[in-house]
Amino acid sequence: MKRILLTSSIIYCSIFMGCNSSTQQPETTLTPPAENQAGQSGVQDDQSQKNVVQIASGSKDHTTLVTAVQAAELVDALSNAGPFTVFAPINAAFDKLPAGTVESLLKTEKKDDLADILQYHVSLGVFKTENLTDGQVIGQVNGANITISKKDGKLMVNGTATV
């Protein structure tokens, strides 16, 4: 195993150095970001498809979700290109929670709990509804799994939430 790793490293270095040996690279100066500079969410890109946060921010049915994403400081993570699939709860789903639940989770000291809950709703990859199958198990960003089921012709997550 060590021999394969060493051989691979030597080949990689040889190729890398061979590609760079004949031309001189221009000097590049990197400027450290300003303290108040935004992360990925601050990148201005009017050409690419909208990211998860931009889509949710434009939806009147996802205002509670957007507030939660901001409180959990996940805006930059979800502003990346992905691919992500978000099983995004609408405001009405949040309204069904016991009174005070959302307000409690939005508190600073509950940020980690809120982030875990939100990451439970995010999958790495593209999962289109037409490709979801009954009994399909999908890993979530927080390490847990969800199970897709079909009930009365509707797709459900864990038998309770409609997709």
Side-chain angles (χ1 to χ4, degrees):
M1 182 68 180
K2 288 182 182 179
R3 187 178 204 172
I4 292 171
L5 183 59
L6 180 61
T7 304
S8 298
S9 297
I10 291 171
I11 291 170
Y12 176 78
C13 288
S14 298
I15 291 170
F16 181 77
M17 289 178 4
C19 291
N20 289 326
S21 63
S22 62
T23 60
Q24 188 169 353
Q25 299 294 323
E27 213 172 292
T28 304
T29 305
L30 297 176
T31 306
E35 285 184 39
N36 61 353
Q37 186 176 8
Q40 183 66 28
S41 61
V43 174
Q44 180 68 33
D45 179 3
D46 297 327
Q47 302 300 315
S48 300
Q49 291 181 339
K50 290 184 176 183
N51 63 48
V52 171
V53 175
Q54 291 167 329
I55 292 169
S57 295
S59 168
K60 64 181 178 6
D61 294 324
H62 293 95
T63 56
T64 306
L65 176 64
V66 171
T67 299
V69 167
Q70 291 167 338
E73 297 180 4
L74 293 174
V75 174
D76 281 331
L78 290 172
S79 294
N80 285 303
F84 301 116
T85 297
V86 178
F87 295 90
I90 59 174
N91 294 341
F94 285 102
D95 293 342
K96 291 179 181 178
L97 294 172
T101 302
V102 173
E103 294 77 14
S104 173
L105 286 169
L106 293 175
K107 293 180 179 178
T108 305
E109 62 270 13
K110 295 285 190 167
K111 183 177 85 167
D112 291 341
D113 294 335
L114 179 59
D116 183 62
I117 292 167
L118 292 171
Q119 290 170 350
Y120 180 71
H121 290 77
V122 180
S123 302
L124 295 178
V126 176
F127 296 92
K128 295 185 178 190
T129 55
E130 62 268 17
N131 297 330
L132 296 175
T133 60
D134 191 38
Q136 183 176 4
V137 177
I138 301 173
Q140 300 303 97
V141 171
N142 76 339
N145 292 322
I146 61 169
T147 302
I148 303 297
S149 60
K150 283 192 175 182
K151 187 176 182 180
D152 299 327
K154 294 182 180 179
L155 285 172
M156 307 288 286
V157 175
N158 295 337
T160 59
T162 305
V163 175

